[in-house]
Amino acid sequence: MIPFSFGLLLMLGLPIALVLAMTALLYIYISGNTVLYLSFPQQFFAAIENYGLLAIPLFMLVGELMNEGGITRRLVALASVFIGHIRGGLAYINILANMFLASIVGSANAQVAVMSQVMVPEMERQGYQRGFATATTCAGALLAPIIPPSMLFVIFGVLAQISIGDMFIAGIIPGVLMAAGFILVIALLGWRYHYPPGIRLSRQQKLRNILAAIPSLLVPAVMIVGILGGLTTPTEAAALGALAATLVGKFAHKEMHFDRLGGMLMRVGINTGVVLSLVAAAGVFGWVIVFEKVPQQLASVLQGITADPFVFMLLVTVLLLVVGTVLDGIAALILLAPILLPVAIEVYDISPYHFGVVMCINLTVGLLTPPVGAALYVAARVTGARPAEIIRPLLPFLGITILLMILLSWQPFLVTALIS
């Protein structure tokens, strides 16, 4: 009954938050247990009564302040110091700069919008095809939901009721491995297609870029040191990051204009409202799922297929790759985590951190795959490239991401090694 109601409402084109809430209401009506209507508002608001969710608007604000304060441009210039001189240097710079920004933005859609404006025109000017330049930018944006801080990790931590700080730490090694995989892809493609030569900076230019970027590096440093050192919660770290981004943009780079603060806060408020409405609706939907004993039913089915945790993770990977093509990553996470996580923990004894990281990486792939592919269409709109131009050069990056998911599924210590 629940899958049928959910599928029917989804096909009608309703927003996913409304679909989740209405599915729960339909279940109560059809079951005849009308006393559950009294619990509906309580479950709805209880889902967002979580301190950790405050990190979401604060991380969004950090990203807005970073863009306004000129931090993005300086981090790109810093990346050029290290690898800008080699053949295909701008492609490497794109990935490395995305890696720097991933520790600040935490949202693939926001990151691809920013970096498409910064990197794609410059790569085109130096002889790269627009489709490849945009695909490289999209691939780099996949790092945003993995390298901490990450909104997906915050939401998963709230849903799983685990430490968001430890969830961030669990994403460090997978994020670095993903960046290394993307650099390997660029190296192999560069050998095959003979990318344009890099621009060699003088010693004075390198020194100037490094000195200019030092204040910008304070923003991720404040957040990461606070979280890893146990000095702050992720929410407090996000607030300190917003303060640091404001001070750096205003006094160090002198590019922050407070008259634009209203627009930034408006964008943060709208985006936060969208995310929290999903979380609230997921609260009542998850409540119905548990009431209907869906996780137990799924567990019995999966146990009949396999008792091997690795095979289970592979099955989940295939499921999420399919779901990610039709549902937004946050919506899919909110929908499936309450169903799959209890099975992973109770039946297969999989760490929630291990499962969460693999699940979030899975769903980031969906950001770049049609028919939804939100980040793909953002990049196409910003750069003017057709989606078909982007997808073909993007495939090797997606392939290396899938291989990474298989590796992480097989070797969970790559996720849990840094968690104390």
Side-chain angles (χ1 to χ4, degrees):
M1 182 189 68
I2 293 177
F4 175 77
S5 302
F6 177 83
L8 178 62
L9 293 171
L10 196 62
M11 285 189 294
L12 291 175
L14 298 176
I16 188 67
L18 196 57
V19 170
L20 293 170
M22 288 184 66
T23 300
L25 288 172
L26 281 172
Y27 167 78
I28 296 173
Y29 174 76
I30 294 172
S31 68
N33 195 1
T34 54
V35 71
L36 294 178
Y37 283 127
L38 300 176
S39 299
F40 187 92
Q42 179 183 0
Q43 296 293 334
F44 189 86
F45 288 103
I48 55 176
E49 290 180 340
N50 189 298
Y51 173 72
L53 289 174
L54 281 174
I56 292 175
L58 289 171
F59 282 131
M60 289 181 178
L61 181 59
V62 170
E64 291 283 347
L65 293 169
M66 176 199 71
N67 297 335
E68 179 65 28
I71 294 173
T72 302
R73 189 175 66 257
R74 287 168 175 82
L75 290 179
V76 172
L78 176 64
S80 68
V81 171
F82 302 103
I83 52 179
H85 62 283
I86 61 179
R87 180 171 289 276
L90 263 185
Y92 294 104
I93 289 170
N94 200 338
I95 296 298
L96 191 58
N98 269 291
M99 191 172 178
F100 287 150
L101 294 174
S103 64
I104 304 174
V105 179
S107 166
N109 289 338
Q111 188 159 324
V112 77
V114 172
M115 293 301 291
S116 292
Q117 298 176 58
V118 174
M119 291 302 303
V120 174
E122 183 63 22
M123 290 182 72
E124 277 194 279
R125 190 180 68 80
Q126 293 195 21
Y128 294 85
Q129 292 183 344
R130 181 182 297 180
F132 172 77
T134 309
T136 306
T137 304
C138 289
L142 288 178
L143 297 167
I146 307 304
I147 293 180
S150 161
M151 282 190 289
L152 281 180
F153 283 0
V154 171
I155 293 170
F156 183 86
V158 170
L159 294 173
Q161 298 184 341
I162 57 176
S163 167
I164 296 172
D166 284 345
M167 193 68 200
F168 284 175
I169 295 171
I172 293 175
I173 294 177
V176 171
L177 289 175
M178 185 182 291
F182 291 166
I183 289 173
L184 176 62
V185 167
I186 292 173
L188 294 175
L189 292 177
W191 174 77
R192 171 66 176 81
Y193 294 107
H194 306 292
Y195 292 153
I199 298 176
R200 187 174 295 275
L201 300 178
S202 67
R203 185 172 298 177
Q204 291 78 9
Q205 288 174 312
K206 289 182 179 180
L207 181 61
R208 187 162 57 247
N209 288 354
I210 291 172
L211 292 177
I214 288 176
S216 297
L217 291 173
L218 290 175
V219 180
V222 163
M223 294 189 289
I224 293 172
V225 170
I227 294 170
L228 296 183
L231 304 175
T232 63
T233 66
T235 303
E236 293 163 348
L240 289 175
L243 176 61
T246 302
L247 296 176
V248 167
K250 181 66 177 177
F251 299 107
H253 300 331
K254 303 186 187 303
E255 295 186 22
M256 175 68 67
H257 301 287
F258 287 140
D259 58 337
R260 300 178 186 171
L261 190 60
M264 288 189 282
L265 293 175
M266 178 66 73
R267 289 191 294 274
V268 169
I270 291 172
N271 291 331
T272 301
V274 171
V275 173
L276 292 186
S277 66
L278 278 168
V279 174
V284 292
F285 184 79
W287 168 56
V288 166
I289 288 292
V290 172
F291 206 85
E292 191 78 344
K293 298 182 179 178
V294 172
Q296 291 89 331
Q297 295 170 17
L298 180 63
S300 64
V301 172
L302 289 171
Q303 280 181 301
I305 298 173
T306 181
D308 188 334
F310 175 55
V311 176
F312 166 75
M313 292 295 286
L314 293 182
L315 292 173
V316 169
T317 295
V318 173
L319 171 65
L320 294 177
L321 287 174
V322 173
V323 170
T325 63
V326 294
L327 283 181
D328 176 73
I330 292 177
L333 179 67
I334 289 172
L335 172 64
L336 294 175
I339 300 173
L340 296 174
L341 183 61
V343 179
I345 295 174
E346 297 167 13
V347 177
Y348 295 97
D349 196 27
I350 295 172
S351 163
Y353 300 102
H354 176 213
F355 186 79
V357 168
V358 174
M359 188 175 190
C360 290
I361 294 176
N362 261 284
L363 295 175
T364 59
V365 173
L367 294 172
L368 297 173
T369 52
V372 177
L376 177 68
Y377 294 114
V378 167
R381 186 169 64 249
V382 171
T383 65
R386 291 180 292 107
E389 288 182 80
I390 305 170
I391 290 174
R392 184 174 178 182
L394 185 61
L395 289 177
F397 295 103
L398 297 179
I400 206 73
T401 304
I402 292 172
L403 289 176
L404 174 65
M405 289 189 292
I406 295 172
L407 175 63
L408 295 178
S409 299
W410 178 45
Q411 298 293 342
F413 79 90
L414 294 173
V415 177
T416 59
L418 298 181
I419 301 175
S420 57

